[in-house]
Each structure stands twice: as structure tokens, then as C-alpha cells.
Amino acid sequence: MATGKAHGRAEILALEAGAHALAERMPELMLSAQRIAQTVAHGIHGRRQPGPGETFWQFRQYQSGDATSLIDWRRSASSSHVYIREREWEAAHTVWLWPDLSPSMSFQSTLSATSKVDRTLILTLALAELLVRGGERVGLIGITQATASRRAVAKLAEAIVAHETEPALASGLPPRAKLSRFSGVILISDFLDAPETIAERLSLIAGHGVTGHLVQVFDPAEETLPFEGRLEFIESEGGERWIADRVETLRSDYQAKLARHRAELVALTRRLGWSFLVHHTDRPASEPLLSLIALLQQGVTGRGYRSGAGA
């Protein structure tokens, strides 16, 4: 029995009719991502700190031991105190993003107002917005170069539309990639491929001190199998069909198999020193964003990202 790759006939009709045009949806997805990023930005603390760099950060009062060359004479002249001009520490890190656009991600049940793929894209774009605001470089694994440009989100959106059907985005697994040491990756998918296949790919990516964060996106119906009676299941990535006469009798076995699959993913990420989150599409997108930003902030050192927290 499949875990979440197969879905009820009534809820897979959209898949049989063909995928929605991503290019048409992308402007709305970008707006949603920007709104969510703005909301989340109010709930997090920035990582700005003084240090070597060119960007002005703040004035502070002169202290014994400060170099006189740092004194801002214009600011000091308007006050009874002597002030120095601090610059912002500029040590951007690179965070690689990967949204899974494979067919299983198009699933949407009546229990959720959004499909898995649209929620995945919103999370990806909102993360890019937040990371660039924080001074980081972002890119799509196997698709784009990393950038800290103010247009980074638009560039990522354009690249996703241009490459949506290519294996790098649509195969269900992140591309084989050897990333620079101490960079980070955030992978967003339903992660329903065989655990050993996922392990092989993630181990390759993690091979050079790369820190990773997995977000497993599920429709609530995939989590609980809430159906009753006779139901036809259609595999979204192969078209195979199977009819269950009393689907409710499968629920306990289905949930047990799903739990075993997820436990293997958790064990894998812990071996790699990565983190693992589960997000359901009927929950606010801000929830995994806040968790991810917190993990990234906790894992930053002077050299790069450390391992994030476990699941």
C-alpha cells in the first residue's frame, strides 16, 4: 500500500485534467509570500551586528579604546557627546532552496484551501524574502546562482516557472549537488520516495559540512486517511489504480506505515545533523517559517551554519 502518493478519485480529478499553469498563479503566490514574510519579519530578531563592512548601521557614544578615526564629527558636533559611526558586519552566508514540483505535490483535499505545491512555493519565496532581508545569499539548487539582490525573489520565481518540468524541480528528489562548505539547504517536499533513495541523495548534499532543513508538506487528508466506503486510488506519478471496498479498514495500517516512513526520515536527518519539520496545508504558512528562521539563527557561527535542531 502506498503512503501518500495515491489519493482518492474524487480528489485527483484536477491532476488528471492536467497541472494548472504555474505562470498564471505565480504573481498571486509571490504576493502571498511577501505578505507572509512581512508578518513573520515582525516576529523575529534580526542578526545584524557591528563589524567590518561598508554599510552604516548605527551611532553609539565613543568609549575608551575606540579608534579616533571612527568618530563621526558631524554627529558629535550636534551633541554634548562624542559619537562613533558603526558599520554593519557583512558576512553573508548562502542558503540553497529546493521546492518539490513533482506530480504528488499537486494534491489538495477538501480539508485544505491550498494544494501542497502552492504552499511549497509560498514557503520557498517567503524564505527567500526573509533571508535576503537578513543579508544572506539565496539560490535554487541546480537551477540558479546564489544572490543577495533585492530582486532575488523575482529571479527565483522566474526560474521556477522556466524550469518547473525539469528533473531538478519535478523528480521528487533534490538535484545531485556538491555545495560549498558551510552553506545551508532548505528542502520542501512530501518526501514520499523510498527512505534509502532519499538518504543517498541527502548524504551527497551533506558531504561538505552543509547544514540542512527538511520541511515535509502534507495535506491533512494524507495524514489521517479520513475516507469511508468504496474508494478508488490513483497513483499520481504512475497512473496505477486500486479500489478499496472499505477504505476505513485500511486506516490503522496506513497510519502505521506513514509513521514508520517518517521515523526513518527523522533518523536520517538526525544522523546528518539536520532538522526535520512537518507542515500541514490547513495550518498557517507562518508556522514553519518562524521555526526555520529560528533554526537558522541558532545555527549561525562566525564561519557558517552549524547543525540545526532535530525534529
Side-chain angles (χ1 to χ4, degrees), residues 40 213 275 277 286-296 298:
V40 170
H213 306 277
S275 74
L277 299 174
S286 57
E287 291 181 355
L289 287 176
L290 283 167
S291 296
L292 285 166
I293 295 300
L295 287 167
L296 290 170
Q298 293 167 9

Side-chain angles (χ1 to χ4, degrees), residues 45 47 49 89 91 93-95 131 136 181-185 209-213 273-275 290-310:
H45 299 288
R47 285 176 31 214
Q49 55 183 298
W89 179 53
H93 300 87
T94 298
V95 180
L131 289 165
E136 311 288 29
R181 190 170 179 81
F182 299 121
S183 59
V185 295
V210 174
T211 295
H213 306 277
W274 289 16
S275 74
L290 283 167
S291 296
L292 285 166
I293 295 300
L295 287 167
L296 290 170
Q297 289 178 327
Q298 293 167 9
V300 170
T301 68
R303 297 178 61 194
Y305 287 105
R306 297 184 313 222
S307 297

Side-chain angles (χ1 to χ4, degrees), residues 83-164:
Y83 286 91
I84 69 169
R85 172 185 287 262
E86 285 192 324
R87 295 182 175 88
E88 185 178 352
W89 179 53
E90 297 175 351
H93 300 87
T94 298
V95 180
W96 296 98
L97 306 174
W98 176 71
D100 182 0
L101 304 187
S102 61
S104 71
M105 298 299 291
S106 296
F107 181 64
Q108 178 184 349
S109 76
T110 57
L111 301 180
S112 176
T114 186
S115 66
K116 293 193 295 181
V117 69
D118 281 3
R119 178 55 57 85
T120 293
L121 289 171
I122 287 172
L123 291 175
T124 300
L125 297 173
L127 278 166
E129 176 73 20
L130 289 167
L131 289 165
V132 169
R133 288 187 189 187
E136 311 288 29
R137 295 185 297 266
V138 296
L140 294 173
I141 301 177
I143 299 292
T144 72
Q145 298 294 320
T147 178
S149 165
R150 293 182 182 273
R151 292 196 67 254
V153 176
K155 291 180 178 179
L156 263 60
E158 292 168 0
I160 288 170
V161 170
H163 299 275
E164 63 172 307

